[in-house]
Every structure is written in structure tokens, then in C-alpha cells.
């Protein structure tokens, strides 16, 4: 095997950390040596950043692999995976780097480990440019578990930009195979709920204002549903640093979940944060898909590995999703098709069906 490395161009499509996450996870799972070149070549700070390093080192440790080229700013890495093992693994971004992205890269791998795993992930739990941990637990978890596995996610401490300092413990057992999913029936929205939080020195009024503004914004468009957004003061011993934010979830009659979320920044008033999350949720409800724009790309690797044909209905296909599909086809040899939805109710909307013939990955250890 060692002669034939998979060659990945890290500058195409999404051109960032996502290519590293998808390609190293698939390389680890399939036991294929990998070289990624031109890492983040087009970004303002090219090459590896600290949070990418912690993700790569975690994958290396999960499988006792060999990793070369891992310095900050490096634009090329090589990775030689070995057998995936369970047990306790720790990854620390040492910054506000996202624990949710660490989870994204490691989860498919530990599903095919030899024994149960416990992942201690440290960094930002509610960080910019990444899913919030609340999204991971409230939306990603129930949907991804449809592939036929369970995981437990224990939020020990929340951490915010710029310090990080959060910690999440993920526990899961390996599976023999993943089942394909079929998420094509959206149903109708039955519930809207969420949480608006403040942590550290921020006054509780900020949480109440975010929640109230979000509720007002949603009521303009959806009048017949009770919108239940809880304002929350994070307990001092369970939050590191200062932060505020909001996540709002819509649930449908068929169990589909959509979210809108937003994080407070210095100088941005609370109402604006609430309205931004509400508008994101409403936009995700307009396209007629069964998953929101952030879940799309997170399901691609699982679809590629599953044993059979998976289908999801989406709104406009994001660049992250196109990137994940590209590398799942290149590295795992899964087959994807993306077609405009032909259902009558989707005729006027930008709705697509992503279909995948999965490779039926089998856990060699079980």
C-alpha cells in the first residue's frame, strides 16, 4: 500500500480546514496513506493553524499513524494510518478552536475502532465559523444517529472566543456497519424552541433581549406556533470566559430538525444577535429541504461509508457539501448524484436530492 499515496490538493473548492478533516478521516478509515498539498493556499494566513494541528494529531493518535509536516504554517502534510483503536483520546486546540470540528473529524473514525472510545475535546464550544455545541447536541446528534449508532456528549465546560477553555467528553461504541438514511420527507413544522445564553460578566438581560427579539422576528412569519426560547445564565463553574449567543431549533412532524444560531460580539446589540439567528432559521425553513445548510456537509462522510443508498433533500448545495462529496468520491470511491427535486411542492423552490451509493464499510475489528 505504502507506494500509492492518495494525493489531495488542499487549495480547491472550500480550500480550507474542511478538506483536511474529510481527507484525513477517510484516509484513517480506509487505511490509505495520504498527502495533502497547498493547504489553505488561498487564505490570508496560508497553511496549518493551531486548531488544524490538534485535529490532525488526534487522528494520528486514534490510529497510531505517522504524520509529517505538522508545523504552524505548513502547506503540506503526509499521513500514514494504522489500525484504529478505541480507548481514551484527548485533543486540545489550546485556543477557541472548535471542539465541534474536532468531533466532526474523529467521530467517523472511532465508529470503526476496535473498542469503545472516550474523546476529551478541549477548546471553544460556542465559537465563530463552526457549529455551536448546542447545534451538535440538538440537531446533528439525533439525525446522525439514524445511521445506526449512538453517542453520548457531555458538556463539562463551555468555552468562548478568544480564550476557549471549554471541554466536551464524547463516548461511543464501535459499529459493524452504518445503515443508509432516507431523509426526503420534510413534514410540517410542529415546534420551535431554543436557548439564549450569557456567560461570565454579561448581564442576564442580554439573554432575555436576544430571546425576545428572536421570538418577535419569527412571529412575523410563523404565527400559529408557540416559540419557546429559554434565556439562560451559564453557571460560573461550567463556563470559561465571557460570551453570549442563541440557538433556535424548528422540529417537524417527520422528525426533521433545522436551526438558526448567532454569537454575540463586542459592540453588537442583543436584539441584533437574536434577529440574526431567527432569520437564519427562517431561511433554512424556506427551501423545502429536510436538513439545514450546516447539516448537509456533516452527513456526507457517513453517507459515503453506509451500506446502501442514502438520500437527503436539501436547499441549495453548499460549497462545503460539494467539497465533502468530491473527496468522498476521490478517496472512498462512493458514488454521489445531486439532482433538482422533482416533487410538485418543491417546483418553485431551490430544492435538491443528494443521493449516495455508500461503500458499505465494515469494521474489521468486530
Amino acid at each position: 500500500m505504502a507506494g500509492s499515496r492518495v494525493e489531495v490538493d488542499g487549495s480547491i473548492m472550500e480550500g480550507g480546514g474542511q478538506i483536511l478533516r474529510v481527507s484525513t478521516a477517510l484516509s484513517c478509515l480506509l487505511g490509505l496513506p495520504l498527502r495533502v498539498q497547498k493547504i489553505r493556499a488561498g487564505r490570508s494566513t496560508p497553511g496549518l493553524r493551531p486548531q488544524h494541528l490538534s485535529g490532525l494529531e488526534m487522528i494520528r493518535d486514534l490510529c497510531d499513524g505517522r504524520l509529517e509536516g505538522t508545523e504552524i504554517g505548513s502547506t503540506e502534510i503526509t499521513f500514514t494510518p494504522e489500525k484504529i483503536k478505541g480507548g481514551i483520546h484527548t485533543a486540545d486546540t489550546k485556543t477557541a478552536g472548535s471542539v465541534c470540528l474536532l468531533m466532526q473529524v474523529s467521530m467517523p473514525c472511532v465508529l470503526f475502532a476496535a473498542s469503545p472510545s472516550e474523546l476529551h475535546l478541549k477548546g471553544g464550544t460556542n465559537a465563530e465559523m463552526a457549529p455551536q455545541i448546542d447545534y451538535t447536541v440538538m440537531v446533528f446528534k439525533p439525525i446522525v444517529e439514524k445511521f445506526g449508532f449512538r453517542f453520548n456528549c457531555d458538556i463539562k465546560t463551555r468555552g468562548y472566543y478568544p480564550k476557549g477553555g471549554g471541554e466536551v467528553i464524547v463516548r461511543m461504541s464501535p459499529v459493524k456497519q452504518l445503515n443508509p438514511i432516507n431523509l426526503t420527507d420534510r413534514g410540517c413544522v410542529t415546534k420551535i424552541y431554543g436557548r439564549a445564553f450569557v456567560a461570565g460578566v454579561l448581564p442576564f438581560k442580554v439573554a432575555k433581549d436576544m430571546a425576545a427579539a428572536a421570538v418577535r422576528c419569527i412571529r412575523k412569519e410563523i404565527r400559529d406556533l408557540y416559540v419557546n426560547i429559554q434565556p439562560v445564565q451559564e453557571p460560573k463553574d461550567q463556563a470559561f470566559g465571557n460570551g453570549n449567543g442563541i440557538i433556535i431549533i424548528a422540529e417537524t412532524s417527520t422528525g426533521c430538525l433545522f436551526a438558526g444560531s448567532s454569537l454575540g460580539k463586542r459592540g453588537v446589540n442583543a436584539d441584533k444577535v437574536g434577529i440574526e439567528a431567527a432569520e437564519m432559521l427562517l431561511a433554512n425553513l424556506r427551501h423545502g429541504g429536510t436538513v439545514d445548510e450546516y447539516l448537509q456537509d456533516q452527513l456526507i462522510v457517513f453517507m459515503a461509508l453506509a451500506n446502501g443508498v442514502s438520500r437527503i433533500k436539501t436547499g441549495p448545495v453548499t460549497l462545503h457539501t460539494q467539497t465533502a462529496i468530491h473527496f468522498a468520491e476521490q478517496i472512498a470511491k462512493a458514488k454521489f448524484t445531486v439532482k433538482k427535486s422533482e416533487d410538485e411542492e418543491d417546483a418553485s423552490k431551490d430544492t435538491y436530492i443528494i443521493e449516495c451509493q455508500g461503500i458499505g464499510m465494515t469494521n474489521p475489528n468486530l
Side-chain angles (χ1 to χ4, degrees):
M1 281 303 295
S4 57
R5 278 195 185 274
V6 175
E7 296 286 345
V8 161
D9 179 341
S11 67
I12 63 169
M13 302 177 82
E14 179 266 348
Q18 189 211 7
I19 294 181
L20 281 171
R21 288 191 294 278
V22 172
S23 59
T24 50
L26 290 171
S27 147
C28 173
L29 278 157
L30 297 158
L32 298 170
L34 172 75
R35 175 161 62 189
V36 187
Q37 292 171 296
K38 299 187 203 161
I39 294 168
R40 300 182 70 256
R43 299 296 166 100
S44 57
T45 50
L48 294 173
R49 307 300 305 148
Q51 66 270 28
H52 303 122
L53 234 51
S54 48
L56 289 170
E57 287 163 353
M58 177 165 214
I59 293 283
R60 177 198 66 200
D61 297 345
L62 285 176
C63 70
D64 281 333
R66 274 207 323 282
L67 190 55
E68 282 141 49
T70 52
E71 299 82 48
I72 305 282
S74 161
T75 55
E76 181 177 325
I77 59 137
T78 59
F79 176 51
T80 313
E82 296 292 336
K83 186 176 156 173
I84 305 171
K85 59 188 203 300
I88 298 176
H89 299 279
T90 300
D92 186 350
T93 65
K94 302 192 177 55
T95 61
S98 167
V99 297
C100 303
L101 295 179
L102 289 173
M103 200 185 304
Q104 248 181 55
V105 65
S106 52
M107 187 174 285
C109 301
V110 296
L111 279 173
F112 291 90
S115 60
S117 302
E118 190 173 293
L119 308 174
H120 293 240
L121 310 175
K122 299 176 184 179
T125 58
N126 299 76
E128 283 294 339
M129 306 296 296
Q132 295 192 43
I133 192 66
D134 307 270
Y135 182 91
T136 301
V137 172
M138 295 163 83
V139 177
F140 172 75
K141 181 180 190 291
I143 303 297
V144 84
E145 286 181 342
K146 292 178 191 285
F147 286 101
F149 66 92
R150 293 268 174 273
F151 72 94
N152 176 277
C153 181
D154 183 6
I155 306 168
K156 287 281 178 226
T157 326
R158 289 170 178 269
Y160 310 97
Y161 182 82
K163 290 189 194 151
E167 182 179 8
V168 172
I169 299 177
V170 179
R171 296 180 182 88
M172 58 200 307
S173 293
V175 292
K176 185 70 187 162
Q177 272 192 327
L178 293 175
N179 306 327
I181 61 168
N182 187 4
L183 290 180
T184 49
D185 179 11
R186 165 141 138 199
C188 53
V189 177
T190 53
K191 272 191 209 149
I192 299 179
Y193 51 90
R195 75 194 296 272
F197 69 85
V198 289
V201 298
L202 290 151
F204 187 57
K205 181 181 180 328
V206 170
K208 292 197 283 205
D209 290 352
M210 288 188 295
V215 170
R216 281 196 303 273
C217 182
I218 293 167
R219 286 261 162 80
K220 285 184 193 144
E221 214 159 305
I222 301 173
R223 291 183 188 81
D224 51 348
L225 278 179
Y226 175 63
V227 181
N228 178 15
I229 303 174
Q230 292 288 320
V232 181
Q233 170 82 56
E234 302 291 7
K236 288 268 183 283
D237 58 340
Q238 287 164 31
F240 186 77
N242 306 313
N244 67 300
I246 180 170
I247 178 163
I248 319 164
I249 314 268
E251 198 174 307
T252 75
S253 52
T254 55
C256 297
L257 295 162
F258 301 84
S261 65
S262 180
L263 285 169
K265 290 191 225 15
R266 222 167 245 169
V268 176
N269 81 21
D271 287 25
K272 196 170 166 208
V273 180
I275 289 165
E276 186 177 55
E279 285 177 343
M280 184 193 291
L281 176 66
L282 293 168
N284 272 314
L285 289 172
R286 279 183 204 119
H287 56 55
T290 58
V291 298
D292 65 32
E293 60 182 316
Y294 300 101
L295 197 56
Q296 277 182 24
D297 65 278
Q298 296 184 57
L299 298 178
I300 297 299
V301 168
F302 297 96
M303 291 168 72
L305 298 170
N307 184 27
V309 176
S310 290
R311 280 183 203 88
I312 59 173
K313 187 189 277 194
T314 70
V317 179
T318 65
L319 179 58
H320 271 90
T321 299
Q322 291 164 21
T323 304
I325 289 173
H326 176 88
F327 290 105
E329 291 190 320
Q330 181 195 336
I331 301 170
K333 306 290 185 257
K335 294 274 180 286
F336 284 84
T337 55
V338 180
K339 293 207 254 311
K340 197 102 174 56
S341 170
E342 284 159 14
D343 297 348
E344 295 87 86
E345 73 259 26
D346 299 330
S348 62
K349 297 180 181 145
D350 217 5
T351 314
Y352 298 84
I353 301 279
I354 301 176
E355 186 172 298
C356 172
Q357 174 64 59
I359 63 172
M361 171 89 187
T362 304
N363 190 332
N365 308 299
L366 292 187

mmCIF file of all heavy atoms in Angstrom, residues 265-281:
data_model
loop_
_atom_site.group_PDB
_atom_site.id
_atom_site.type_symbol
_atom_site.label_atom_id
_atom_site.label_comp_id
_atom_site.label_asym_id
_atom_site.label_seq_id
_atom_site.Cartn_x
_atom_site.Cartn_y
_atom_site.Cartn_z
ATOM 1 N N LYS A 265 -20.986 39.573 19.663
ATOM 2 C CA LYS A 265 -19.622 40.107 19.555
ATOM 3 C C LYS A 265 -19.629 41.457 20.266
ATOM 4 O O LYS A 265 -20.679 42.080 20.414
ATOM 5 C CB LYS A 265 -19.246 40.344 18.087
ATOM 6 C CG LYS A 265 -19.041 39.081 17.276
ATOM 7 C CD LYS A 265 -18.428 39.465 15.952
ATOM 8 C CE LYS A 265 -19.004 38.825 14.705
ATOM 9 N NZ LYS A 265 -20.263 38.153 14.749
ATOM 10 N N ARG A 266 -18.458 41.902 20.636
ATOM 11 C CA ARG A 266 -18.362 43.198 21.286
ATOM 12 C C ARG A 266 -19.002 44.288 20.421
ATOM 13 O O ARG A 266 -18.742 44.359 19.229
ATOM 14 C CB ARG A 266 -16.884 43.542 21.472
ATOM 15 C CG ARG A 266 -16.663 44.152 22.824
ATOM 16 C CD ARG A 266 -15.214 44.241 23.207
ATOM 17 N NE ARG A 266 -14.978 43.380 24.353
ATOM 18 C CZ ARG A 266 -13.773 43.072 24.788
ATOM 19 N NH1 ARG A 266 -12.708 43.514 24.168
ATOM 20 N NH2 ARG A 266 -13.628 42.311 25.845
ATOM 21 N N GLY A 267 -19.849 45.088 21.036
ATOM 22 C CA GLY A 267 -20.429 46.216 20.305
ATOM 23 C C GLY A 267 -21.645 45.869 19.462
ATOM 24 O O GLY A 267 -22.197 46.742 18.794
ATOM 25 N N VAL A 268 -22.066 44.592 19.445
ATOM 26 C CA VAL A 268 -23.267 44.236 18.678
ATOM 27 C C VAL A 268 -24.413 44.088 19.667
ATOM 28 O O VAL A 268 -24.307 43.327 20.627
ATOM 29 C CB VAL A 268 -23.069 42.902 17.921
ATOM 30 C CG1 VAL A 268 -24.356 42.491 17.213
ATOM 31 C CG2 VAL A 268 -21.924 43.023 16.923
ATOM 32 N N ASN A 269 -25.527 44.833 19.450
ATOM 33 C CA ASN A 269 -26.556 44.773 20.483
ATOM 34 C C ASN A 269 -27.320 43.447 20.447
ATOM 35 O O ASN A 269 -27.347 42.739 19.451
ATOM 36 C CB ASN A 269 -27.434 46.030 20.484
ATOM 37 C CG ASN A 269 -28.518 45.996 19.432
ATOM 38 O OD1 ASN A 269 -28.899 44.941 18.945
ATOM 39 N ND2 ASN A 269 -29.029 47.152 19.086
ATOM 40 N N ALA A 270 -27.905 43.128 21.602
ATOM 41 C CA ALA A 270 -28.512 41.815 21.820
ATOM 42 C C ALA A 270 -29.625 41.514 20.817
ATOM 43 O O ALA A 270 -29.743 40.400 20.310
ATOM 44 C CB ALA A 270 -29.036 41.727 23.243
ATOM 45 N N ASP A 271 -30.442 42.540 20.524
ATOM 46 C CA ASP A 271 -31.547 42.329 19.578
ATOM 47 C C ASP A 271 -31.026 41.821 18.248
ATOM 48 O O ASP A 271 -31.594 40.928 17.634
ATOM 49 C CB ASP A 271 -32.301 43.658 19.332
ATOM 50 C CG ASP A 271 -33.150 44.053 20.519
ATOM 51 O OD1 ASP A 271 -32.810 43.620 21.645
ATOM 52 O OD2 ASP A 271 -34.148 44.771 20.339
ATOM 53 N N LYS A 272 -29.928 42.415 17.807
ATOM 54 C CA LYS A 272 -29.383 42.071 16.503
ATOM 55 C C LYS A 272 -28.949 40.602 16.467
ATOM 56 O O LYS A 272 -29.124 39.905 15.461
ATOM 57 C CB LYS A 272 -28.197 42.995 16.193
ATOM 58 C CG LYS A 272 -27.834 42.978 14.746
ATOM 59 C CD LYS A 272 -26.843 44.046 14.342
ATOM 60 C CE LYS A 272 -26.312 43.675 12.959
ATOM 61 N NZ LYS A 272 -24.977 44.154 12.695
ATOM 62 N N VAL A 273 -28.375 40.116 17.565
ATOM 63 C CA VAL A 273 -27.935 38.726 17.648
ATOM 64 C C VAL A 273 -29.145 37.789 17.545
ATOM 65 O O VAL A 273 -29.142 36.809 16.801
ATOM 66 C CB VAL A 273 -27.159 38.466 18.963
ATOM 67 C CG1 VAL A 273 -26.706 37.015 19.054
ATOM 68 C CG2 VAL A 273 -25.951 39.403 19.061
ATOM 69 N N GLY A 274 -30.217 38.129 18.289
ATOM 70 C CA GLY A 274 -31.437 37.328 18.253
ATOM 71 C C GLY A 274 -32.073 37.299 16.877
ATOM 72 O O GLY A 274 -32.499 36.240 16.380
ATOM 73 N N ILE A 275 -32.120 38.460 16.231
ATOM 74 C CA ILE A 275 -32.749 38.570 14.908
ATOM 75 C C ILE A 275 -31.945 37.789 13.870
ATOM 76 O O ILE A 275 -32.509 37.116 13.001
ATOM 77 C CB ILE A 275 -32.908 40.065 14.511
ATOM 78 C CG1 ILE A 275 -33.996 40.699 15.393
ATOM 79 C CG2 ILE A 275 -33.240 40.216 13.035
ATOM 80 C CD1 ILE A 275 -34.018 42.220 15.373
ATOM 81 N N GLU A 276 -30.624 37.853 13.972
ATOM 82 C CA GLU A 276 -29.772 37.125 13.022
ATOM 83 C C GLU A 276 -30.053 35.609 13.084
ATOM 84 O O GLU A 276 -30.185 34.943 12.056
ATOM 85 C CB GLU A 276 -28.299 37.400 13.326
ATOM 86 C CG GLU A 276 -27.349 36.805 12.313
ATOM 87 C CD GLU A 276 -25.888 37.155 12.600
ATOM 88 O OE1 GLU A 276 -25.399 36.894 13.721
ATOM 89 O OE2 GLU A 276 -25.244 37.692 11.692
ATOM 90 N N ALA A 277 -30.173 35.075 14.298
ATOM 91 C CA ALA A 277 -30.461 33.650 14.459
ATOM 92 C C ALA A 277 -31.845 33.304 13.910
ATOM 93 O O ALA A 277 -32.033 32.293 13.224
ATOM 94 C CB ALA A 277 -30.358 33.251 15.931
ATOM 95 N N ALA A 278 -32.825 34.157 14.206
ATOM 96 C CA ALA A 278 -34.190 33.923 13.736
ATOM 97 C C ALA A 278 -34.248 33.940 12.213
ATOM 98 O O ALA A 278 -34.884 33.077 11.592
ATOM 99 C CB ALA A 278 -35.129 34.980 14.313
ATOM 100 N N GLU A 279 -33.555 34.900 11.606
ATOM 101 C CA GLU A 279 -33.579 34.991 10.141
ATOM 102 C C GLU A 279 -32.887 33.796 9.499
ATOM 103 O O GLU A 279 -33.305 33.308 8.453
ATOM 104 C CB GLU A 279 -32.962 36.323 9.683
ATOM 105 C CG GLU A 279 -33.940 37.470 9.927
ATOM 106 C CD GLU A 279 -33.400 38.843 9.576
ATOM 107 O OE1 GLU A 279 -32.158 39.002 9.438
ATOM 108 O OE2 GLU A 279 -34.235 39.774 9.465
ATOM 109 N N MET A 280 -31.820 33.316 10.142
ATOM 110 C CA MET A 280 -31.133 32.130 9.626
ATOM 111 C C MET A 280 -32.068 30.919 9.671
ATOM 112 O O MET A 280 -32.157 30.149 8.713
ATOM 113 C CB MET A 280 -29.869 31.853 10.449
ATOM 114 C CG MET A 280 -29.055 30.689 9.912
ATOM 115 S SD MET A 280 -27.781 30.131 11.079
ATOM 116 C CE MET A 280 -26.652 31.481 11.089
ATOM 117 N N LEU A 281 -32.789 30.772 10.774
ATOM 118 C CA LEU A 281 -33.747 29.658 10.890
ATOM 119 C C LEU A 281 -34.827 29.766 9.818
ATOM 120 O O LEU A 281 -35.127 28.789 9.120
ATOM 121 C CB LEU A 281 -34.394 29.645 12.276
ATOM 122 C CG LEU A 281 -35.486 28.579 12.455
ATOM 123 C CD1 LEU A 281 -34.885 27.174 12.387
ATOM 124 C CD2 LEU A 281 -36.242 28.763 13.752
#
